[in-house]
Amino acid sequence: TSPVPYEKSIIIAVDHTHVRKRRFSYIFLSAVLSRMNGCLPRKGNFLQGRIEEVSTTGKANAQSSTPHAAEMLKLDFIQDELQYNVGTGKYSSVVVETGDCWFIAEKLKIPADTNFFVQIQYGSIGWALAACLGVGLATKEFGGNKVLALIGDGSFQVSVQELSTILEYGLDVTIVIMNNASYVIEEQINPGVYNQVVNWQYAELVK
């Protein structure tokens, strides 16, 4: 990526902002984003009406476009389930993909003896499954409990071939795929139909 000249850049940090060569303290990132949210036009979402509502039994609700709230799979439910499983100590390592998975995982309360791996610096998708393979191999060799990986469906498809090696070596990993039928994080940056992802039968891949 071509670098942006410093004199033409605006850098917004958590507790200050740089405009060209001037620094403004106490202009917080949260405040800037809040004002921008009210000023910028909202983009259309190609996912609207395309993603099925999914019940907690894993069955798509094809009868109604507005199922009862008690039947819908909510993000809070996913968060609670992940927290319960991670909190029990059954996993010695948690591997997290960038994007939505990262935002979910950062809210988890990880036990002190549990390793937490996340690729933040470059934010490149497709990293987590390969990292899960590496962590799984290390865990098998040096000891430890299961490995938990949180991966988006688009990211999973980028490096899905690593699943073959995971199966070949019989690694004790649990892969949770956050399936939203697209590269949603890319859609927020460069919207287009090319961000749509074919919805695989992911559970069938391990057979």
Side-chain angles (χ1 to χ4, degrees):
T1 303
S2 178
V4 178
Y6 189 78
E7 62 272 12
K8 295 183 178 180
S9 65
I10 297 176
I11 302 174
I12 306 171
V14 174
D15 60 352
H16 68 274
T17 298
H18 281 274
V19 179
R20 296 175 180 170
K21 295 183 178 181
R22 297 186 62 186
R23 173 186 170 118
F24 298 88
S25 300
Y26 305 109
I27 297 181
F28 299 104
L29 175 62
S30 58
V32 175
L33 292 178
S34 178
R35 292 296 297 272
M36 289 177 64
N37 185 50
C39 297
L40 298 176
R42 292 186 177 274
K43 297 178 180 179
N45 187 352
F46 74 85
L47 294 172
Q48 190 66 38
R50 182 170 176 264
I51 300 178
E52 297 175 299
E53 301 288 1
V54 178
S55 70
T56 53
T57 61
K59 298 178 181 178
N61 191 319
Q63 302 299 321
S64 172
S65 59
T66 55
H68 296 296
E71 297 177 346
M72 295 176 64
L73 186 59
K74 300 284 190 178
L75 186 58
D76 288 345
F77 171 83
I78 298 173
Q79 189 85 45
D80 290 343
E81 288 295 305
L82 289 172
Q83 182 59 68
Y84 171 77
N85 282 278
V86 170
T88 59
K90 64 189 294 186
Y91 296 102
S92 57
S93 297
V94 178
V95 181
V96 181
E97 186 63 85
T98 190
D100 289 344
C101 294
W102 170 20
F103 302 139
I104 293 171
E106 69 176 357
K107 298 178 182 178
L108 296 175
K109 297 178 181 179
I110 307 292
D113 58 349
T114 299
N115 299 306
F116 186 83
F117 300 95
V118 61
Q119 192 257 128
I120 297 176
Q121 184 66 32
Y122 296 104
S124 55
I125 60 176
W127 169 86
L129 189 59
C132 176
L133 166 61
V135 174
L137 288 169
T139 302
K140 185 174 183 178
E141 180 175 353
F142 299 107
N145 296 330
K146 297 165 67 73
V147 177
L148 174 66
L150 306 181
I151 309 175
D153 55 329
S155 300
F156 181 83
Q157 291 192 21
V158 168
S159 53
V160 67
Q161 66 271 19
E162 307 297 356
L163 184 62
S164 296
T165 310
I166 290 173
L167 295 173
E168 178 183 356
Y169 284 89
L171 303 182
D172 195 3
V173 303
T174 299
I175 300 172
V176 177
I177 298 177
M178 306 299 292
N179 186 356
N180 49 26
S182 73
Y183 297 108
V184 169
I185 194 168
E186 300 291 343
E187 176 68 13
Q188 305 309 309
I189 302 171
N190 293 303
V193 295
Y194 42 78
N195 290 321
Q196 300 180 27
V197 173
V198 175
N199 191 20
W200 294 355
Q201 298 297 319
Y202 293 97
E204 302 295 319
L205 295 176
V206 298
K207 293 184 179 180

